[in-house]
Amino acid sequence: MKIVMATNNQNKLKEAREIFDSLGIVIISQKEAGIAIEPEENGKTFAENALIKAHAVYDLLKCPVIADDSGLCVDALDGRPNVYSARYAPEGQQCEKLLQELENIPENQRTAQFVTVIAFLDENGKEILCEGVCQGAIGFEKKGTNGFGYDPVFLYQGKSFAELSADEKNAISHRGIALRKLYEILKERSLNHAE
Ligand code: ITT
């Protein structure tokens, strides 16, 4: 099965490929499919934004598409930056801004969740939504050099996401959880079609 991923984020693409390659699903980037669009993400939820991105590419190609909308929800900030995670600060300055905002927050109040919603549209445009949540905490400094975005400050069982290998992150991450849920649904569907 081939699926076009509606994203301009190369890190998301890489993580989705790492997971789906081993499951026999080929992910083609929207760029490889000849599409250069960046739809306005004006939804109020991760699901709404994931559907906006998926439909924008589906409308042009009419083939199976996935889109990922994700972000970080920090409890001490009443869930912010949430769907505004990409707009919270310019790329490369997100961790610094978050550390500064949480400067006076003690360790036991630094809990946070990474959330991903994957929207899948099949060749007929039928929608499937899968959510993945990873519970962790925000550290007091950046740690590690792997990953992207908020990974250096997101702690999971004592290590930052940026200190994990790609496989270790995929095994427990919000994105890994959501993509594996989608895979299970697609597998079930193809078994039912084969019957
Ligand atoms: P597309 O919309 O083109 O897919 P984007 O980077 O704009 O790419 P989002 O709108 O979903 O993606 O914004 C998510 C932001 O949250 C993104 O800028 C990252 O900084 C951050 N983020 C999402 N998943 C992450 C992860 O696994 N590790 C670290 N940061 C992450």
Side-chain angles (χ1 to χ4, degrees):
M1 185 180 199
K2 283 186 185 169
I3 303 178
V4 175
M5 187 164 188
T7 185
N8 290 304
N9 182 321
Q10 296 308 307
N11 296 293
K12 286 183 180 179
L13 186 69
K14 183 170 165 281
E15 290 187 4
R17 280 189 168 141
E18 281 157 3
I19 291 173
F20 272 1
D21 271 4
S22 61
L23 301 171
I25 293 177
V26 176
I27 301 285
I28 299 166
S29 70
Q30 67 175 50
K31 195 173 166 203
E32 286 162 347
I35 293 178
I37 53 167
E38 203 159 338
E40 193 186 351
E41 296 177 36
N42 52 10
K44 289 190 179 61
T45 62
F46 294 115
E48 282 177 22
N49 282 337
L51 285 169
I52 288 170
K53 292 185 265 192
H55 276 286
V57 169
Y58 178 81
D59 289 349
L60 296 171
L61 296 178
K62 302 280 189 277
C63 73
V65 171
I66 53 171
D68 162 320
D69 200 61
S70 44
L72 185 63
C73 303
V74 179
D75 295 324
L77 303 178
D78 296 324
R80 280 191 302 115
N82 204 300
V83 291
Y84 299 104
S85 293
R87 290 161 272 181
Y88 178 68
E91 194 68 38
Q93 294 172 36
Q94 295 167 322
C95 292
E96 281 75 9
K97 182 168 174 197
L98 186 60
L99 289 174
Q100 206 171 8
E101 250 205 289
L102 295 182
E103 205 174 26
N104 298 316
I105 304 295
E107 191 172 358
N108 65 356
Q109 290 170 34
R110 295 175 77 95
T111 48
Q113 300 82 44
F114 258 135
V115 180
T116 290
V117 172
I118 299 286
F120 170 81
L121 300 183
D122 73 8
E123 60 280 12
N124 301 311
K126 188 172 178 295
E127 298 170 358
I128 298 172
L129 289 174
C130 294
E131 187 185 62
V133 179
C134 182
Q135 304 281 349
I138 306 303
F140 288 91
E141 58 187 351
K142 287 168 75 175
K143 278 188 182 165
T145 52
N146 299 331
F148 67 101
Y150 299 90
D151 282 345
V153 294
F154 185 80
L155 300 180
Y156 179 84
Q157 296 185 352
K159 272 190 178 179
S160 87
F161 263 14
E163 292 179 299
L164 302 181
S165 69
D167 284 351
E168 285 170 338
K169 180 182 171 187
N170 283 335
I172 45 98
S173 79
H174 47 311
R175 183 163 299 104
I177 293 167
L179 287 168
R180 283 190 296 274
K181 275 187 194 170
L182 175 63
Y183 172 73
E184 289 304 323
I185 294 170
L186 295 180
K187 194 167 79 175
E188 192 69 23
R189 269 175 34 137
S190 74
L191 289 176
N192 287 341
H193 283 168
E195 274 171 12

